[in-house]
Amino acid sequence: MWMSNMAAVIIMMLVMLVMVLASSLSKKSINDREKNSPFECGFDPKSSARLPFSLRFFLIAVIFLIFDVEIALLLPIIVIMKWSNLLSWSIVSMMFLLILLVGLFHEWNQGALEWAN
C-alpha cells in the first residue's frame, strides 16, 4: 500500500513538473505587431477582425443544443417501455415531458425564441 501511494505521489510530481515546464517554455517572448495582426493578404485590415458576436444568435444556439440533448434523452424512453412497469414508466415520462414543456413555455414568455424584435 505504501509503495502504491509513493508511486502515485511521484507520478503526480512528474506530471506537475512537465506541465510547469511546458507552460513556461511555450510562452512567446517576442510580440510582433505583424504576427499579432489578422492576416489579410499582406495588407492592413480595413476593419476590426474581432466583430462583436450576436448575443441573440448565441441564445438561440444554446436553446437548440439544450433541446437537442433533451430529444436524445427522450428516445430511450420508448425503448425501455417494454421492460418496465407501465404505471411507473408513464409517470416518469409525463413528469419529464412536463418539465420540458414548462421550460419551453418559460423561454417563450421571456422572448428567447423570437428572432426579430
Side-chain angles (χ1 to χ4, degrees), residues 12-95:
M12 289 298 290
M13 290 175 65
L14 284 174
V15 167
M16 297 282 267
L17 179 69
V18 169
M19 287 174 59
V20 168
L21 282 174
S23 67
S24 64
L25 293 177
S26 68
K27 303 274 189 222
K28 293 181 180 178
S29 60
I30 301 172
N31 288 333
D32 188 15
R33 179 182 171 272
E34 294 298 324
K35 288 184 180 179
N36 288 336
S37 67
F39 180 72
E40 193 170 319
C41 300
F43 299 105
D44 287 332
K46 293 181 180 180
S47 63
S48 175
R50 313 280 191 276
L51 296 176
F53 190 73
S54 171
L55 185 62
R56 203 77 166 142
F57 176 75
F58 178 73
L59 287 175
I60 295 291
V62 168
I63 290 170
F64 172 75
L65 182 66
I66 289 170
F67 279 104
D68 193 36
V69 170
E70 290 169 354
I71 288 173
L73 291 173
L74 280 173
L75 288 176
I77 288 177
I78 299 166
V79 175
I80 64 169
M81 185 177 80
K82 293 184 226 177
W83 296 288
S84 64
N85 183 5
L86 189 59
L87 180 66
S88 64
W89 177 86
S90 61
I91 290 172
V92 169
S93 300
M94 290 302 154
M95 289 300 294

Side-chain angles (χ1 to χ4, degrees), residues 1-11:
M1 185 71 176
W2 181 80
M3 291 296 282
S4 63
N5 287 342
M6 193 61 167
V9 168
I10 291 173
I11 289 172

